[in-house]
Amino acid sequence: MAETENTVAIAARTAARRKVANLAFWSIVVAFVVLGLKLAAWYITGSVALYSDALESIVNVIASVAAFWAIQVSYKPADQDHPFGHHKAEYFSAVLEGVLIVVAALLILNEVWRSWQAPAPLERPWNGLAVNGIATLINAFWAWTLIRVGRAEKSPALVADGNHIMTDVVTSVGVFGGLVGAILTGWQILDPALAVIVALNILWQGWHVIGSSMNGLMDRAVDTQEHMRIRDVISANCKGALEVHDLKTRIAGRATFIEFHLVVDADMSVGASHVICDRIEDALKAEIPSVRVTIHVEPDDEAKLPKGTTAVPFA
């Protein structure tokens, strides 16, 4: 039975890996298609706002390639040099993406300065907006897909890529509306002004992506709701133990690491305490994907609750 369950778990992890890897690969293809459309829109109109939108798509291409590489590395099994696995590789991809976003914003501001020095009227604006609109629709669908699957599979690289693309979508919608206003009113100043707004917006998003990724690299604990769920699972499966304390968690990409101290009667055999540990570990694995559990068994003189206390076995 245990062997069958292990085979099923391996098959599920393999399927999840293929799903994430396939999405990461197609992100590269979609990024190139969207980039081509946005460059065409800029070429048609000469709009600096559309140029800024296209420039952000160049970042999407580079970020998609980096995410694909990071996901391949993160799924590599643990080895002698990395005994805890390669899960954190995806965070490096997300940090790189944040840095690239900041670079793109600075390039946009440079183009805005040049545009203000030598303003030029828009050419065939409606044609350019139509092409850009198609690119925006493609981006919106793909961003939603990446965020949904990334959260389900606990892939920071996919989520970061999806959030960046969604930012691109919001930017594109704002540029579209602003340029329509510029065309209808004849206010050419709206074009570079929109580009400045785009640059400031993606600067903020870049900072957010970098901060979120650095938080992951710093071994952030699970959130309160997940922590309580872990406590409940342990409490429901620790029959025979006296107490659990020093519960600690950390997240590394898809993996959740859990460790705690399990207090048992000093006269309990190693085999009996091992049975309790296996029961708890199996329950946690069934409840939380890609979990790694470390349990330190202690005798009753290491208990932190008063002797004879009948309470939920946590301290």
Side-chain angles (χ1 to χ4, degrees), residues 145-274:
T145 301
L146 290 177
I147 293 171
R148 179 178 59 84
V149 176
R151 286 175 177 169
E153 303 297 339
K154 294 189 174 181
S155 171
L158 281 188
V159 173
D161 204 16
N163 283 332
H164 179 208
I165 295 174
M166 189 60 75
T167 301
D168 194 13
V169 171
V170 174
T171 297
S172 297
V173 171
V175 167
F176 187 93
L179 286 181
V180 168
I183 296 166
L184 296 178
T185 62
W187 296 347
Q188 293 184 19
I189 191 64
L190 285 177
D191 184 32
L194 282 170
V196 171
I197 295 173
V198 170
L200 294 177
N201 180 51
I202 65 175
L203 269 175
W204 169 254
Q205 290 299 324
W207 176 257
H208 178 74
V209 169
I210 293 172
S212 177
S213 302
M214 293 301 292
N215 196 22
L217 288 171
M218 293 296 292
D219 288 338
R220 177 176 58 87
V222 301
D223 60 34
T224 302
Q225 184 176 0
E226 184 76 354
H227 186 87
M228 295 305 297
R229 185 160 71 107
I230 292 170
R231 285 173 56 105
D232 290 342
V233 171
I234 296 173
S235 293
N237 292 277
C238 65
K239 184 178 180 182
L242 302 177
E243 177 185 304
V244 171
H245 59 246
D246 291 349
L247 173 62
K248 298 176 183 177
T249 63
R250 66 183 177 92
I251 299 173
R254 294 173 307 281
T256 300
F257 290 83
I258 301 172
E259 63 176 77
F260 56 88
H261 294 188
L262 182 74
V263 180
V264 299
D265 192 296
D267 295 328
M268 179 178 286
S269 67
V270 173
S273 62
H274 186 66

Side-chain angles (χ1 to χ4, degrees), residues 105-115:
L106 296 177
L107 291 174
I108 291 169
L109 291 174
N110 179 66
E111 187 64 22
V112 168
W113 176 250
R114 292 173 54 189
S115 175

Side-chain angles (χ1 to χ4, degrees):
M1 177 66 72
E3 184 176 348
T4 302
E5 291 177 351
N6 189 44
T7 302
V8 171
I10 293 173
R13 287 196 296 269
T14 301
R17 173 181 180 176
R18 288 175 180 170
K19 185 177 184 180
V20 172
N22 285 338
L23 275 178
F25 171 77
W26 282 105
S27 274
I28 299 173
V29 177
V30 171
F32 271 109
V33 170
V34 171
L35 173 61
L37 290 171
K38 290 191 174 184
L39 286 174
W42 165 59
Y43 180 79
I44 291 171
T45 62
S47 165
V48 68
L50 290 181
Y51 167 81
S52 67
D53 208 9
L55 197 61
E56 189 175 3
S57 290
I58 294 177
V59 176
N60 286 350
V61 171
I62 300 173
S64 295
V65 173
F68 180 73
W69 168 83
I71 286 170
Q72 299 301 314
V73 173
S74 72
Y75 272 104
K76 289 173 62 178
D79 54 35
Q80 186 174 356
D81 293 329
H82 306 88
F84 292 98
H86 301 77
H87 310 287
K88 289 187 177 182
E90 292 192 42
Y91 289 120
F92 291 103
S93 167
V95 170
L96 173 62
E97 184 165 350
V99 172
L100 290 173
I101 292 173
V102 173
V103 172
L106 296 177
L107 291 174
I108 291 169
L109 291 174
N110 179 66
E111 187 64 22
V112 168
W113 176 250
R114 292 173 54 189
S115 175
W116 269 333
Q117 289 181 319
L122 300 179
E123 300 177 6
R124 293 183 292 167
W126 296 114
N127 293 342
L129 285 176
V131 174
N132 195 262
I134 294 172
T136 300
L137 290 175
I138 295 173
N139 257 355
F141 170 76
W142 195 246
W144 175 80
T145 301
L146 290 177
I147 293 171
R148 179 178 59 84
V149 176
R151 286 175 177 169
E153 303 297 339
K154 294 189 174 181
S155 171
L158 281 188
V159 173
D161 204 16
N163 283 332
H164 179 208
I165 295 174
M166 189 60 75
T167 301
D168 194 13
V169 171
V170 174
T171 297
S172 297
V173 171
V175 167
F176 187 93
L179 286 181
V180 168
I183 296 166
L184 296 178
T185 62
W187 296 347
Q188 293 184 19
I189 191 64
L190 285 177
D191 184 32
L194 282 170
V196 171
I197 295 173
V198 170
L200 294 177
N201 180 51
I202 65 175
L203 269 175
W204 169 254
Q205 290 299 324
W207 176 257
H208 178 74
V209 169
I210 293 172
S212 177
S213 302
M214 293 301 292
N215 196 22
L217 288 171
M218 293 296 292
D219 288 338
R220 177 176 58 87
V222 301
D223 60 34
T224 302
Q225 184 176 0
E226 184 76 354
H227 186 87
M228 295 305 297
R229 185 160 71 107
I230 292 170
R231 285 173 56 105
D232 290 342
V233 171
I234 296 173
S235 293
N237 292 277
C238 65
K239 184 178 180 182
L242 302 177
E243 177 185 304
V244 171
H245 59 246
D246 291 349
L247 173 62
K248 298 176 183 177
T249 63
R250 66 183 177 92
I251 299 173
R254 294 173 307 281
T256 300
F257 290 83
I258 301 172
E259 63 176 77
F260 56 88
H261 294 188
L262 182 74
V263 180
V264 299
D265 192 296
D267 295 328
M268 179 178 286
S269 67
V270 173
S273 62
H274 186 66
V275 168
I276 300 173
C277 291
D278 280 349
R279 185 169 65 241
I280 296 172
E281 188 172 351
D282 290 343
L284 287 169
K285 287 181 177 179
E287 189 73 19
I288 304 170
S290 301
V291 72
R292 307 287 190 274
V293 184
T294 301
I295 305 175
H296 178 65
V297 178
E298 296 180 331
D300 49 22
D301 60 357
E302 295 292 331
K304 292 188 175 182
L305 289 174
K307 190 172 183 179
T309 300
T310 56
V312 176
F314 277 93

